[in-house]
Each structure stands twice: as C-alpha cells, then as structure tokens.
Amino acid sequence: MQAVIDFLKQNEPRFIDELCDYVRFPSVSAQAQHRADLQACAAWVVKHCKQIGLQARLCPTQGHPIVLAKTPRHPIAAPNRPARAATSRRRPHFLVYGHYDVQPPEPFDLWKSPPFEPRLQGRSLFARGASDNKGQNFAHLKAVEAYLKTNTEIPCDITFVIEGEEEVGSKSLAGFLREHRDELRCDAVVISDTGMPAPDCPALTYALRGIAAIEVTLRGPSRDLHSGIFGGTVDNPAMALSQLLAKLRDQNGRVAIPGFYDEVRPLSAFERKQFKRLPMTDREYQKLLGVPRLFGEKGYTPFEQRAARPTLEINGLTSGYQGEGSKTIVPAWARAKLTARLVPDQKPARIIKLIQQHLKKLCPPTVRMEIEAGHGADPYLVSPDSAHAQAALRALRSAFGHEPVLMREGGSIPIVNDFKRILHADTLLLGLALPDDNAHSPNEKFNLDCFAKGALMSAFLWQELSRIVLQRVTPRLSTPH
Ligand code: BES
Ligand code: ZN
C-alpha cells in the first residue's frame, strides 16, 4: 500500500491539471445546445480511463452516453492451484458511480471567473462541476490509477459507471443497468456525490431525500396585453400564480397540501440526538447562506429540516417581461417549476398526484391551468451499521485522520434506488463536497485537500471492503464436504 500512497502524493499536481482539463467541458445536460459537449466530455473520460489502465468503452443511450470502465479482470487461477482458484471465483466486485454532466452555470455574471475556465485559488479549484461531480468521482479514478501504475494488486474488481444525465433525472441509466445486469452484479456501489461537514470531518451518508418534480402554467389572454388599456378586466396570470403558490405553505414552514405528510416516518429520538452532534451552529449556517434569518418547519433544527423532513420549493418562476427597463403588459402566461423533496415512506407518484389535485382545486376560473409532471425518485435509507458501512468508516478514518460522522442528506441521487432494485446492491455514499462548495450555485469549487484525501480514502476502501467480502466467503469455502 505504501507505493500507492506515495504515488498519490507524488502525482497530485498532475491530477489537478487533469481535473482542470475535465472541468473545461461545458457538459450541461439540461441544455440541448451542449449535446456535443457531453459527447466530447464522455469521450475524454473514456480516453482517460484507458490511459490509466482501465478497460473502458462509451455506451450510447437515447440521451447522453454512459462511460463504462473496468479494472483489468484477473484470469481464473490455474487448476493446479485450487485454493487460489476458489478465491478468485469469488473475487469481490464493486461499482463506482459518478456523473460527468453538470448543472447549468447561469447566472454568468455572478461568477468571479468563467464557469468552464478552471481557476486555482489556494486549495480551491473553481469551476462548474469541480465538486458536483467531476472532482469527487475523479478521486476514485486516481486511487485506481495508483494501484495500476504501481503494479499493486487490487483486492477486488472495480467497475466505473459514469453517466451524463444525473442532473436531469438519470433517464437512461435504469435501462442500462437492466441490460448489463450480469456484467454489473456487485457486492456494493460506491458513490462520492454528497457532502461532508468540514475538511476535518469526513462523513458516511446513510439517507438521501427523494424528489417529485412538477411544472404548472397558468394561461390568461391569448397574447400579452397593454396593462393600461386592458388591466383590471382580465385576470393577470402572474398575480394568480403568485396567489396560488403562496397558499402552498403555511406560516410555520409546513407544506399546506392535504395529505402531504401522511406517509412521513417520524424521526427517532436516537437520530435526533445524532444530528445534534454534527458541527456548525445555526448562526454559522445562516452566515454561510447569506440570509437575514433562517426559515423552516417549526419544531425541527435546520439539519433535520434539510435532511430528514419533506419540503416543497419553487425552483423557477417565469412570467411577463424580464428585460431591461419596463414594459406595461398583462402577461399572457405564468409558469412555476416546483419540486418536493421526499423522505421515507413518501412515494413520488402519490405526492405528484396530491400536488396536482390541490393546484387544480386552487385554480380560479379566470385562467387555464396546465400541469406537467416531471421526474421522480424515491427517498433512500440504509443501515449505517452494516459491515460495508463499517469498512467505509475505517477507510474514511485512516485517510482523513479524523472520526467520521454519520449523516442524512437533503439532496437526491435517483439512481441509488435502481442499484438496489436491479442489482440488489446497497450504496455507500462517501461525499467529499464541503458545505461552501457552491454546488448548483455560481462559483462552484472543490477543495483540493478533500480531493487528495478522497483519493487516499478510495485506495484504503478497496482493501477494507474486499476484506469483509472475502472474510464472509472464506468460512464457507473451508467447510469440508
Ligand atoms: N450531488 C447531487 C446530490 C446531492 C448533493 C446529494 C448533496 C446529497 C447532498 C446531485 O448531483 C444532484 O444534484 N442531484 C439532483 C437530482 C435531481 C436532478 C433529480 C438533486 O438533488 O437536485
Ligand atoms: Zn448536482
């Protein structure tokens, strides 16, 4: 292992240069104009994987391509070495999932340097995708490179699945997993696409929120009207939508949609106690986010509100004239993009139905309502006590030199449920993003210490995880029959 550790240390400057090349691709999956950029980015990842010694290929999909890259598989041992043959048949196999697509960088004017021109400042690398998810996933590639380039035996097989549609709901991945089920059958999935509270506080995330997306449009007059000539005689879709949206939450920060909380599993006293141990005071949190005061569901701490309670947000609100100066119109339409974040045992389909029904009930007869249901994903919750989780905690502890914390996270990674459903594999969420990494915001960055320690953690992880898989197998193998 020392050779691997030394390799990671010695090659860090080159890794950073390579990550800079990676983040230069404007791989914005939400915007059709970037289709070719996603293709080029995926091709770069394949080439890079081949360079570090992986067997890699580009897999086309209906949407953006998926990169599949594997450590070279060990040949089955010769028959004259039965003990070896027995273990190599049961060689552990792990999947590392990541995504090369990124969120739209807008608004551009808030970036201190252009989003796709990486900028190094101290131990931070600024660029869209630096943290979510190119940098975090790249740490795992570098760990595997260290094994391969130093000829250190990797105790397991590793397959990287790096997709280009995570930020738009991973539409192609479930089908891909089904199609490649045999090739992808594994002992566990490893994902670094979540957060950690501080550079000296590594984390294992054992729960994610689910999501349900919906778009609502109110249509009024057949065209924008002069607000002086016609205003006051027809409903204003922007006004009507504002009034309608305002009714979706109450003053206590609760979602005011009948039935919304029906399936919510209450938080246990034990979990609430664990949450209290996480660093960061309410005051620090408020400062980080730049708000004059925090707002959230009464009776819960900010950490509970964002990780373990369901919420409803307006993600986008559009109507009327947005350009320079003024334009006196009654807009013809108004639109809101909404998402609910879900916790066990809420189901996206039911929540979408509840929102739809409620919106229809609230809609005044003076406008026409159109509703489009978007993507959905179930919430995710696994036991932090499993042997896999314990192995991951050991790897985190060794690499970061600090005791890891157990966390629940508010974000969603829809595909984790498909890994469970289709491959029957649990996912270990070992996030490397810091709270101030500005994921999805202007000036996204990745902390290079998290990058370096993340690669080290990955290197340790394969030892720790393989050991528990093999330990489990060995007694069965040695049973005389
Ligand atoms: N990396 C995030 C997910 C995340 C971030 C989980 C922080 C936990 C903590 C991922 O790239 C993401 O943004 N996912 C989307 C999914 C959605 C588009 C279906 C999200 O959570 O908004
Ligand atoms: Zn994201």
Side-chain angles (χ1 to χ4, degrees):
M1 271 307 276
Q2 196 53 46
V4 169
I5 297 168
D6 292 344
F7 183 91
L8 288 175
K9 184 128 204 76
Q10 283 153 12
N11 290 277
E12 202 197 317
R14 172 172 62 82
F15 296 165
I16 296 169
D17 285 347
E18 291 166 353
L19 180 55
C20 285
D21 289 342
Y22 192 6
V23 296
R24 274 193 194 99
F25 291 94
S27 45
V28 185
S29 50
Q31 298 173 347
Q33 82 210 57
H34 286 296
R35 213 182 156 76
D37 296 315
L38 278 123
Q39 188 77 32
C41 185
W44 182 91
V45 176
V46 169
K47 197 170 142 215
H48 190 80
C49 288
K50 284 182 179 163
Q51 268 166 14
I52 66 177
L54 296 172
Q55 295 161 351
R57 63 182 205 261
L58 197 65
C59 305
T61 71
Q62 296 271 37
H64 304 302
I66 294 170
V67 177
L68 199 64
K70 305 172 179 188
T71 48
R73 298 304 190 235
H74 281 236
I76 297 290
N80 58 351
R81 291 171 62 198
R84 169 94 186 148
T87 49
S88 50
R89 262 203 306 278
R90 289 170 186 274
R91 208 171 142 74
H93 179 207
F94 298 101
L95 224 71
V96 179
Y97 164 83
H99 60 96
Y100 66 83
D101 66 320
V102 302
Q103 284 273 323
E106 288 85 349
F108 286 98
D109 54 325
L110 292 184
W111 284 79
K112 293 205 184 97
S113 51
F116 299 108
E117 291 174 26
R119 173 170 60 93
L120 279 165
Q121 190 185 318
R123 292 294 284 165
S124 294
L125 172 68
F126 287 87
R128 171 56 90 231
S131 170
D132 182 6
N133 171 245
K134 290 172 174 170
Q136 292 195 58
N137 187 243
F138 208 55
H140 290 285
L141 281 171
K142 296 296 104 178
V144 171
E145 174 182 338
Y147 274 95
L148 296 174
K149 291 282 161 73
T150 58
N151 282 320
T152 307
E153 192 189 338
I154 309 180
C156 53
D157 292 335
I158 303 171
T159 300
F160 285 84
V161 176
I162 307 172
E163 70 150 321
E165 297 179 287
E166 196 274 347
E167 300 290 11
V168 287
S170 298
K171 286 183 206 77
S172 308
L173 197 55
F176 180 85
L177 296 183
R178 260 181 230 113
E179 240 171 72
H180 297 79
R181 186 178 289 160
D182 291 337
E183 197 178 352
L184 299 177
R185 186 165 294 130
C186 60
D187 293 285
V189 181
V190 172
I191 305 182
S192 290
D193 193 22
T194 48
M196 55 191 277
D200 60 357
C201 187
L204 171 77
T205 290
Y206 64 93
L208 294 169
R209 288 196 290 184
I211 194 164
I214 205 163
E215 217 173 274
V216 55
T217 307
L218 294 190
R219 295 193 187 277
S222 55
R223 59 203 179 279
D224 289 354
L225 301 176
H226 189 297
S227 63
I229 301 174
F230 300 107
T233 60
V234 293
D235 202 352
N236 179 314
M239 285 282 209
L241 185 62
S242 308
Q243 287 175 319
L244 191 151
L245 294 174
K247 292 190 186 122
L248 297 184
R249 79 171 190 203
D250 70 13
Q251 283 184 331
N252 293 322
R254 278 176 71 87
V255 179
I257 296 173
F260 187 78
Y261 292 94
D262 282 0
E263 272 96 23
V264 175
R265 215 187 288 174
L267 275 172
S268 69
F270 175 77
E271 264 196 308
R272 298 194 83 170
K273 208 167 127 202
Q274 292 293 312
F275 288 166
K276 292 224 165 68
R277 291 173 51 192
L278 294 167
M280 178 134 20
T281 62
D282 287 6
R283 182 103 202 108
E284 285 165 339
Y285 185 60
Q286 174 186 335
K287 213 170 144 221
L288 172 75
L289 302 184
V291 287
R293 195 186 275 217
L294 293 175
F295 175 88
E297 188 185 0
K298 279 222 167 72
Y300 295 92
T301 66
F303 190 82
E304 290 168 346
Q305 288 162 352
R306 74 189 172 107
R309 294 293 297 168
T311 49
L312 179 72
E313 301 287 346
I314 300 173
N315 303 130
L317 197 50
T318 322
S319 183
Y321 178 66
Q322 317 267 332
E324 197 183 341
S326 82
K327 185 180 180 196
T328 45
I329 53 162
V330 174
W333 57 270
R335 179 172 301 136
K337 289 174 187 277
L338 306 173
T339 50
R341 295 285 172 168
L342 313 178
V343 300
D345 298 307
Q346 289 176 303
K347 290 265 164 280
R350 189 180 121 85
I351 294 296
I352 286 185
K353 211 165 138 203
L354 288 179
I355 302 176
Q356 246 167 350
Q357 281 170 352
H358 195 56
L359 288 174
K360 280 189 186 144
K361 211 177 100 198
L362 293 179
C363 181
T366 46
V367 287
R368 289 175 210 94
M369 178 178 274
E370 287 165 17
I371 297 178
E372 204 182 315
H375 53 86
D378 288 328
Y380 187 69
L381 181 74
V382 277
S383 163
D385 298 325
S386 70
H388 283 146
Q390 296 305 314
L393 288 171
R394 283 194 293 277
L396 286 168
R397 199 177 291 126
S398 310
F400 284 86
H402 292 278
E403 193 52 34
V405 289
L406 296 174
M407 297 213 301
R408 288 178 69 153
E409 283 265 41
S412 312
I413 306 179
I415 196 66
V416 291
N417 295 297
D418 294 317
F419 286 133
K420 185 74 190 175
R421 257 193 302 263
I422 301 167
L423 303 179
H424 309 293
D426 280 334
T427 296
L428 290 163
L429 296 160
L430 305 168
L432 303 172
L434 293 177
D436 64 353
D437 269 2
N438 291 324
H440 296 203
S441 296
N443 303 305
E444 178 176 347
K445 66 151 179 73
F446 190 40
N447 181 298
L448 296 174
D449 291 328
C450 293
F451 181 40
K453 288 184 179 150
L456 197 58
M457 177 275 290
S458 177
F460 290 140
L461 186 66
W462 309 123
Q463 302 289 338
E464 294 288 354
L465 284 177
S466 305
R467 193 171 305 143
I468 60 152
V469 173
L470 291 172
Q471 267 166 6
R472 234 185 254 158
V473 164
T474 312
R476 247 185 292 150
L477 282 179
S478 55
T479 310
H481 36 228

